Each structure stands twice: as C-alpha cells, then as structure tokens.
Amino acid sequence: MSVSLGDIAGLLAALAFVALVVVLAVPLLRLGAVLDETRTSVTRFTEHTLPVIDEAAETVRGANAQLGKVDTVTTSAAEIGTNVSALTTLVSATLARPMIRVAAFSFAVRSVVARRRERS
C-alpha cells in the first residue's frame, strides 16, 4: 500500500473540515440553548401577561359601564339646569315687571306724601 502526496493532502483537508465542523458546532449548540431559553421565557411571559391583559380588559369594560351611568346623570343635570333657567326667566318676566311698577308707584306715593308734609 502506498500513500501518495495527494492522499496525504486529502486526509489533511478532511481533518481540517472535521475541525471546522467541530469549531462551528459549539456556537450553534450554544445558540440552540439560547433559543430554547428564549422560547421558555416567552412562554412564561405569555402565561403571566395574558391574565393581566384579561383583567385590564374587564376593568375597561366596567369603567365604560360606569361612564355610561355618569353620562345619564350628567344629561339629567343639564336638563334640570335648563328647566331652572326657563323657570327663572318665567318668574322674572311674570313678577319682576309688576314689582318694578309697584316699587315705582310706592316711590311716587312716598314722594307725594313727603312733599305734602313739607308744605304743611
């Protein structure tokens, strides 16, 4: 059996390729471990986050229901304000003018009575 120079070169190339595969396999195995840990972390994060999101959604639904009730109360208060304003306008129109006339008449009577007292 004779070993030629080409056989030795082929053997060295094969050994270099095996060494290259081993050198590249170590980082790939570590990267696989990192990806497994990342997948586990994402799963845990999802397990803990989903209940919080569900609870937040329920809280928002409750807040929206309460806002609907507040809107009803606010609308009623606005209607009461409008009615009070209309009532005030009505009372003012109904009673203010006659009261002004009575006050003017009363002032005129007092002025006349005061003048008569001064003359006598």
Side-chain angles (χ1 to χ4, degrees):
M1 179 159 128
S2 78
V3 179
S4 71
L5 189 59
D7 292 337
I8 294 174
L11 184 62
L12 286 175
L15 288 174
F17 184 74
V18 168
L20 178 66
V21 168
V22 169
V23 167
L24 290 177
V26 172
L28 287 175
L29 291 174
R30 288 185 181 167
L31 180 61
V34 167
L35 290 176
D36 287 340
E37 186 63 33
T38 303
R39 181 179 37 238
T40 304
S41 296
V42 168
T43 302
R44 287 182 191 160
F45 180 76
T46 302
E47 289 172 356
H48 290 96
T49 304
L50 287 179
V52 172
I53 291 172
D54 291 339
E55 187 176 323
E58 186 62 33
T59 302
V60 168
R61 275 190 223 97
N64 283 338
Q66 293 299 321
L67 285 175
K69 292 177 183 177
V70 168
D71 187 41
T72 303
V73 170
T74 305
T75 303
S76 298
E79 289 176 4
I80 289 171
T82 303
N83 292 341
V84 167
S85 176
L87 183 63
T88 303
T89 304
L90 177 67
V91 168
S92 174
T94 304
L95 297 179
R97 289 183 186 149
M99 291 179 90
I100 291 171
R101 288 182 182 160
V102 167
F105 180 74
S106 172
F107 178 74
V109 168
R110 279 186 282 144
S111 297
V112 170
V113 169
R115 285 185 197 155
R116 287 194 177 188
R117 283 188 186 167
E118 288 177 4
R119 287 185 189 171
S120 36

